[in-house]
Amino acid sequence: MRLFVALSPPPEALAEVAGAVGARPERWPDLRWTGSETWHITMAFLGEVPEKALPELETRLGRAAGRHAPMTLRFEGAGAFPSARRARVVWLGLAGGGTAISRLAASLAAGGRRAGAAGAEGKPFHPHLTLARARPRDGLDARPLVEELKDFGGAPWRADAVHLMRSHLGPKTRYEALESWPLTGGG
Ligand code: 2AM
């Protein structure tokens, strides 16, 4: 099964994001816009994981979550991977986590690796919420869109748990939360 670990922003924070996106999907029909019901922050991409690895994976992810404290985050800024000029993914950024969010991500990825989930090694962690993906593989010039979104700043929200998510790929990708663990460390 295809798995990743994510933060789930609260509904109020996602409502602000929806407000910031507004009617842009209609103006940018060449992008595949993500549905607000799928919005999340990927903390660790685990990739294909055999079902038999699940118990150990869950133990290790729970242990990692228990070593980290809750964080106050806010959505801020926007950008695109690999660049706004040839965007394949258009995203909103996250602020407020300092180094704590990267340390949590590294801990979760390490837990995944120890349980045998190869994940996406070597990719630097860049917390973001994916708003849209380009259809063509060579990307799309999204500079005006990124320019419009980059001044967005949302209200602070508390990230106090991580969730193990399963991707059900298809014409309409769906994510299923398999397990959640609170962030109970002292920071
Ligand atoms: P994205 O939001 O930047 O597209 C579920 O697919 C989540 O895992 C998405 O948030 C996606 O990131 C991320 N993801 C998918 N494939 C990935 C990969 N090869 N490396 C890192 N993250 C990936």
Side-chain angles (χ1 to χ4, degrees):
M1 57 187 97
R2 191 179 161 91
L3 302 178
F4 62 101
V5 186
L7 300 178
S8 288
E12 312 81 70
L14 295 182
E16 283 185 337
V17 172
V21 169
R24 290 189 177 84
E26 288 153 38
R27 288 201 281 114
W28 290 81
D30 289 343
L31 289 170
R32 287 181 297 121
W33 289 79
T34 53
S36 57
E37 74 287 351
T38 71
W39 285 348
H40 63 268
I41 316 296
T42 298
M43 294 298 288
F45 179 71
L46 303 173
E48 264 323 305
V49 175
E51 195 153 355
K52 64 173 171 21
L54 210 50
E56 187 180 352
L57 178 63
E58 294 190 341
T59 301
R60 292 194 181 272
L61 295 177
R63 206 178 288 160
R67 285 198 295 262
H68 295 263
M71 293 171 286
T72 301
L73 304 173
R74 60 181 190 280
F75 288 107
E76 189 178 284
F81 297 140
S83 71
R85 197 170 65 80
R86 299 188 68 159
R88 288 175 58 183
V89 172
V90 178
W91 45 262
L92 278 189
L94 268 186
T99 58
I101 189 166
S102 305
R103 285 188 280 110
L104 172 59
S107 241
L108 294 165
R113 275 195 303 277
R114 285 188 205 109
E121 305 235 13
K123 264 200 181 180
F125 175 68
H126 188 293
H128 64 278
L129 183 148
T130 293
L131 293 177
R133 297 187 177 88
R135 288 172 214 271
R137 284 202 63 81
D138 55 352
L140 174 148
D141 185 353
R143 282 176 291 185
L145 175 61
V146 169
E147 192 60 31
E148 283 173 16
L149 290 170
K150 81 174 193 333
D151 292 332
F152 174 71
W157 53 274
R158 196 119 176 105
D160 56 8
V162 294
H163 311 274
L164 177 62
M165 309 291 290
R166 177 176 185 182
S167 299
H168 296 277
L169 300 181
K172 202 167 192 294
T173 295
R174 190 169 62 77
Y175 303 126
E176 175 191 8
L178 298 182
E179 187 67 77
S180 302
W181 298 276
L183 300 173
T184 50

